[in-house]
Amino acid sequence: MNKEEFFQKLGRSLKGLPKTEIDTIMADFEEHFMNSVKEGRSEDETAEMLGNPAAIGRIAKTELLMEEAETKGSARSVFRAVMAAAGLGLFNIIIVIGPFFGIVGALIGLWAAAAGVGLSGVATLGVLFFSPFVRSFIPLTAAGIVFTLFTGIGLAAFGGLLGIGMVYLTKWFAKLTLAYAKATVGIVKGK
Amino acid sequence: MQAEELCVVNIQFKKGVLELCVLAVLSDEDLYGYKIVQTISENINISGGTIYPLLRRLSKEGFFETYLEESEDGPPRKYYHLTEKGHKTKDALIKEWDEFVNAVQRILDKKEREEVLYE
């Protein structure tokens, strides 16, 4: 592999990172090539010694995404970091990634349930306000209005509570995932 | 499955040791990236490029400081300097390493004695 090819592959594997980070990594390797050639090595030999640029890029990317996930702590950044680490082959695909997707799926389902309950409450309240404008409207009795009102408020409040619970659950899961991923990457640095 | 696990352990072991090597290489003198990679890959069979992400991470963790210094010919080089924190970590890792190696050696010695006895 020649130098140009090395940088092309490295660049491709770093896609998606901030430009400053990419520039720093590229500059380090640029300097490495220069010093290596000065010592009498050919560019091809130097590339050989450095190893697979795609692998180097993945490692650099994973470490950066890990840091970002740690400072941000958002579900999205954690997800990105886990995906990058999975690309490194750091996790046993079946033992870790399987359950990971399972739990992510369950979380999405629970979020949908919370939203569903909340929205059904809002819809129930909506019936109270908008039904008088519907032509086929049959006036509700006083008891009916009270019943509908409380059902609506109850459902909306319950949905809200579920939502708050989900925020905590999601945050907790993100934290746990990150801690695990960090421990793994902490041990496995490199090739 | 078992072979695969063994391989992962092997990689993890190498990488953990790599961190110690980088810290040790820089304990006596400041070096630039190429020299660090050369010194380590002369002795350990790894792809040298993976040392750069490690250098970057250890710098961010406060084990190194970097500075640019002019070279006689050509553009400046980025030198890595071990900080106080880096020195302390290196000492702790060396201690851990020594204990580990000694423990392994004790086990190997014992095994050897037993083998001699059986023969």
Side-chain angles (χ1 to χ4, degrees):
Chain A
M1 187 185 318
N2 59 30
K3 184 181 166 187
E4 209 172 298
E5 226 178 305
F6 181 91
F7 277 96
Q8 243 173 27
K9 285 187 178 161
L10 183 64
R12 219 177 296 147
S13 63
L14 292 174
K15 252 183 207 158
L17 290 181
K19 196 179 171 299
T20 49
E21 294 289 354
I22 295 177
D23 289 349
T24 312
I25 295 166
M26 291 292 203
D28 280 347
F29 282 107
E30 197 70 60
E31 190 195 302
H32 185 99
F33 267 95
M34 213 147 46
N35 288 320
S36 186
V37 168
K38 229 182 276 174
E39 303 253 329
R41 271 203 177 83
S42 75
E43 286 184 349
D44 290 15
E45 272 175 300
T46 307
E48 182 73 28
M49 189 179 143
L50 286 172
N52 179 4
I56 298 165
R58 277 204 301 272
I59 293 161
K61 193 172 177 177
T62 306
E63 294 208 341
L64 274 165
L65 288 176
M66 242 13 137
E67 273 166 34
E68 191 189 289
E70 213 177 349
T71 41
K72 277 192 186 168
S74 71
R76 207 181 91 87
S77 58
V78 170
F79 191 81
R80 277 183 67 185
V82 168
M83 287 300 98
L88 270 184
L90 291 183
F91 302 135
N92 184 315
I93 291 294
I94 297 156
I95 292 180
V96 179
I97 291 298
F100 174 75
F101 276 115
I103 296 172
V104 168
L107 283 177
I108 292 171
L110 285 170
W111 270 108
V117 172
L119 285 175
S120 73
V122 173
T124 309
L125 292 176
V127 168
L128 274 188
F129 289 106
F130 292 108
S131 55
F133 305 110
V134 178
R135 200 176 281 178
S136 63
F137 176 63
I138 303 159
L140 285 166
T141 60
I145 291 173
V146 171
F147 178 74
T148 313
L149 186 67
F150 280 111
T151 308
I153 291 172
L155 282 171
F158 185 52
L161 275 179
L162 281 178
I164 292 166
M166 284 312 296
V167 169
Y168 281 104
L169 200 62
T170 309
K171 272 196 180 156
W172 175 78
F173 176 63
K175 237 184 177 171
L176 194 75
T177 307
L178 189 61
Y180 176 79
K182 257 201 84 187
T184 314
V185 176
I187 311 163
V188 193
K189 280 154 229 135
K191 196 149 83 175
Chain B
M1 186 71 185
Q2 226 171 12
E4 191 182 297
E5 265 166 26
L6 205 65
C7 183
V8 170
V9 170
N10 197 7
I11 293 168
Q12 292 183 343
F13 181 73
K14 259 195 196 172
K15 297 312 152 188
V17 174
L18 191 59
E19 192 171 314
L20 169 59
C21 291
V22 171
L23 290 169
V25 164
L26 285 163
S27 67
D28 296 331
E29 52 178 338
D30 299 354
L31 292 171
Y32 53 94
Y34 174 75
K35 280 283 173 210
I36 299 170
V37 172
Q38 200 191 25
T39 310
I40 289 176
S41 53
E42 257 172 18
N43 297 292
I44 302 176
N45 180 25
I46 51 147
S47 51
T50 57
I51 292 172
Y52 282 99
L54 178 64
L55 286 173
R56 193 194 145 280
R57 189 172 56 80
L58 293 179
S59 302
K60 278 213 172 164
E61 282 174 14
F63 296 154
F64 309 134
E65 283 161 358
T66 59
Y67 60 92
L68 289 176
E69 197 170 274
E70 300 294 326
S71 57
E72 320 87 67
D73 44 351
R77 289 162 171 159
K78 187 154 111 188
Y79 277 81
Y80 293 82
H81 169 76
L82 203 60
T83 59
E84 187 63 36
K85 190 182 172 191
H87 272 290
K88 278 188 186 146
T89 307
K90 182 206 70 187
D91 291 341
L93 283 175
I94 288 179
K95 197 166 161 265
E96 236 174 78
W97 170 255
D98 284 340
E99 282 168 7
F100 180 68
V101 169
N102 286 333
V104 171
Q105 197 57 54
R106 275 198 301 277
I107 292 169
L108 294 183
D109 288 348
K110 192 170 168 242
K111 197 156 181 278
E112 214 164 86
R113 275 204 307 277
E114 279 168 1
E115 275 166 7
V116 169
L117 276 177
Y118 284 128
E119 278 165 17

